[in-house]
Amino acid sequence: MSEARRRWAVDCLLAGVLLLIGVGGTGPAGEGQGRTVTTFTYVLVVLVALSLVVRRWWPLVTLAVAATGTSTYLVLGYPYGPILLAFLVAVYTTARHLPLRPAAIASAAALVVLLAHTVVDGNPLGVVPGAAWVVVPFALGVTVRLSREAAARARDDLARQYADEERLRVAQEVHDVVGHGLSAINMQAEIALHLLTKRPEQAEAALTAISRTSREALDELRVTLALVRRTKEDETRSATAGLARLDDLVARMSETGVPVKVEITGERRDLPAAVDLAAYRVVQESLTNVLRHAGAATATVRLGYLPREVSVEVVDTGRGAVTEPGGGHGLVGMRERVAALGGAFTAGPAEGGGFRVHARLPLP
């Protein structure tokens, strides 16, 4: 059932309930108050109750019918009874579904129409209880509407926040993929240019490595962008980079002239997709920084599989400093990745020279 039909069904049910209450309760109310109940009394009760069927679509029409019918009912001297419940619902609906200004004007007009019987009866004291049948449901309707609007704004703000976070995540993924690939290609291109005239056969190997690295970077970039449309955990795990591709990363680095040694402690096992990706990106970005900034250096990658966390450490023997103009994105991006998973991240000069990056990623 669509939302519109569901609301219409609810309104029909509400109108039916108030109709039964009105028809069944008006007679006893007349007997208790010593007032006459006629056929026209029930016509007015039925008319006011049935007007609630369209209350969400035409709240002003519903209020006009309810106010006119209820006022006529009271002016004719019929007993105070269940018809006032339907009028109360009509006022609440107007305040709930219309902006404040038109709702207030319409409710004030309904109050004037409702109080016509006090002029006919010559009973000015009836103004106060009569006004309560408008003021109370009006205040309740406005309160509910403002609360719903505030909740809707909060949901919109949260959705925008999620969208911003997703854009930042994709931007970080693209930065890591493209940054690493271009750094490796740049290094291999310099090697090829240096060897082109002296050792053409070695230059050809460097150009082959450039072709392979660029192809792999493009493939990974396509996968990363495709992940924007993926939501299931199994799809994410099968498509994203992870520590299972660490050997390929090390091989690409070695081709650029940066020897990389990998040391693993603990029992290697499957990790949650987010942790696996973050660990891989920390290693990838750290090795990219080695390639960019460390000069002639070697690097050591240490992975520690502990019961409650995974530790990632990358140490190089280069110049011992990473300079990123304007603050850069590499170290900042790694820190944000790790912090998002509740982990700890440190980066700085290593003992004995070089640079050290260390991350601790907690496991669920």
Side-chain angles (χ1 to χ4, degrees), residues 18-58:
L18 290 178
L19 178 60
L20 292 177
I21 294 175
V23 172
T26 300
E31 294 176 1
Q33 299 173 32
R35 300 196 178 193
T36 303
V37 175
T38 66
T39 302
F40 189 63
T41 306
Y42 290 104
V43 171
L44 292 174
V45 170
V46 171
L47 177 65
V48 173
L50 291 181
S51 68
L52 298 179
V53 172
V54 295
R55 69 187 186 96
R56 296 180 199 256
W57 287 268
W58 299 303

Side-chain angles (χ1 to χ4, degrees), residues 82-105:
I83 192 173
L84 290 170
L85 295 177
F87 175 75
L88 182 150
V89 173
V91 175
Y92 166 83
T93 301
T94 301
R96 166 68 182 84
H97 294 284
L98 293 181
L100 182 59
R101 182 180 177 83
I105 294 175

Side-chain angles (χ1 to χ4, degrees), residues 185-197:
I185 290 171
N186 178 68
M187 181 65 69
Q188 291 161 347
E190 290 181 355
I191 294 173
L193 288 174
H194 180 71
L195 297 175
L196 185 60
T197 56

Side-chain angles (χ1 to χ4, degrees), residues 2-359:
S2 66
E3 183 66 17
R5 290 186 177 182
R6 186 188 67 81
R7 291 180 178 179
W8 182 77
V10 170
D11 289 341
C12 288
L13 179 61
L14 176 62
V17 170
L18 290 178
L19 178 60
L20 292 177
I21 294 175
V23 172
T26 300
E31 294 176 1
Q33 299 173 32
R35 300 196 178 193
T36 303
V37 175
T38 66
T39 302
F40 189 63
T41 306
Y42 290 104
V43 171
L44 292 174
V45 170
V46 171
L47 177 65
V48 173
L50 291 181
S51 68
L52 298 179
V53 172
V54 295
R55 69 187 186 96
R56 296 180 199 256
W57 287 268
W58 299 303
L60 290 179
V61 173
T62 298
L63 181 61
V65 172
T68 303
T70 304
S71 180
T72 303
Y73 176 96
L74 295 175
V75 167
L76 293 176
Y78 296 140
Y80 292 96
I83 192 173
L84 290 170
L85 295 177
F87 175 75
L88 182 150
V89 173
V91 175
Y92 166 83
T93 301
T94 301
R96 166 68 182 84
H97 294 284
L98 293 181
L100 182 59
R101 182 180 177 83
I105 294 175
S107 298
L111 176 60
V112 172
V113 173
L114 180 68
L115 295 180
H117 76 282
T118 62
V119 177
V120 175
D121 295 342
N123 180 23
L125 296 179
V127 172
V128 175
W133 286 96
V134 175
V135 174
V136 173
F138 178 82
L140 181 61
V142 169
T143 301
V144 172
R145 180 173 60 82
L146 293 178
S147 299
R148 297 278 180 88
E149 290 176 354
R153 285 194 298 270
R155 288 194 298 270
D156 291 341
D157 291 342
L158 188 60
R160 282 193 293 269
Q161 179 183 347
Y162 284 153
D164 291 340
E165 291 175 352
E166 182 65 12
R167 282 194 291 269
L168 289 174
R169 185 186 68 82
V170 174
Q172 183 63 51
E173 290 292 325
V174 173
H175 168 270
D176 291 346
V177 172
V178 175
H180 173 78
L182 291 180
S183 296
I185 290 171
N186 178 68
M187 181 65 69
Q188 291 161 347
E190 290 181 355
I191 294 173
L193 288 174
H194 180 71
L195 297 175
L196 185 60
T197 56
K198 301 176 182 178
R199 300 175 184 175
E201 68 283 356
Q202 295 185 13
E204 182 180 354
L207 292 173
T208 302
I210 289 175
S211 175
R212 183 172 61 255
T213 301
S214 61
R215 183 173 60 254
E216 292 173 353
L218 284 174
D219 290 342
E220 190 171 351
L221 181 59
R222 292 191 188 99
V223 169
T224 300
L225 296 178
L227 285 178
V228 178
R229 299 187 297 271
R230 298 177 185 266
T231 56
K232 296 181 181 180
E233 176 72 13
D234 56 345
E235 290 179 336
T236 301
R237 172 177 290 279
S238 64
T240 45
L243 292 177
R245 300 178 59 180
L246 182 59
D247 293 340
D248 295 336
L249 177 61
V250 170
R252 287 201 300 270
M253 290 298 297
S254 299
E255 290 175 351
T256 63
V258 179
V260 179
K261 180 173 65 173
V262 179
E263 299 176 357
I264 298 177
T265 59
E267 183 180 355
R268 193 167 185 173
R269 60 188 185 276
D270 290 336
L271 301 174
V275 176
D276 193 26
L277 176 60
Y280 177 83
R281 293 303 188 204
V282 168
V283 175
Q284 183 186 50
E285 185 61 28
S286 299
L287 294 179
T288 301
N289 286 338
V290 174
L291 187 62
R292 288 173 175 171
H293 308 294
T298 62
T300 301
V301 177
R302 298 187 180 96
L303 299 178
Y305 289 86
L306 304 175
R308 295 184 179 274
E309 67 179 25
V310 174
S311 66
V312 180
E313 183 183 43
V314 180
V315 181
D316 66 68
T317 60
R319 290 191 287 262
V322 176
T323 56
E324 294 184 321
H329 301 285
L331 294 179
V332 174
M334 286 188 282
R335 192 182 306 277
E336 290 176 350
R337 278 185 186 277
V338 175
L341 297 175
F345 178 86
T346 58
E351 294 183 5
F355 197 80
R356 174 179 179 267
V357 172
H358 182 251

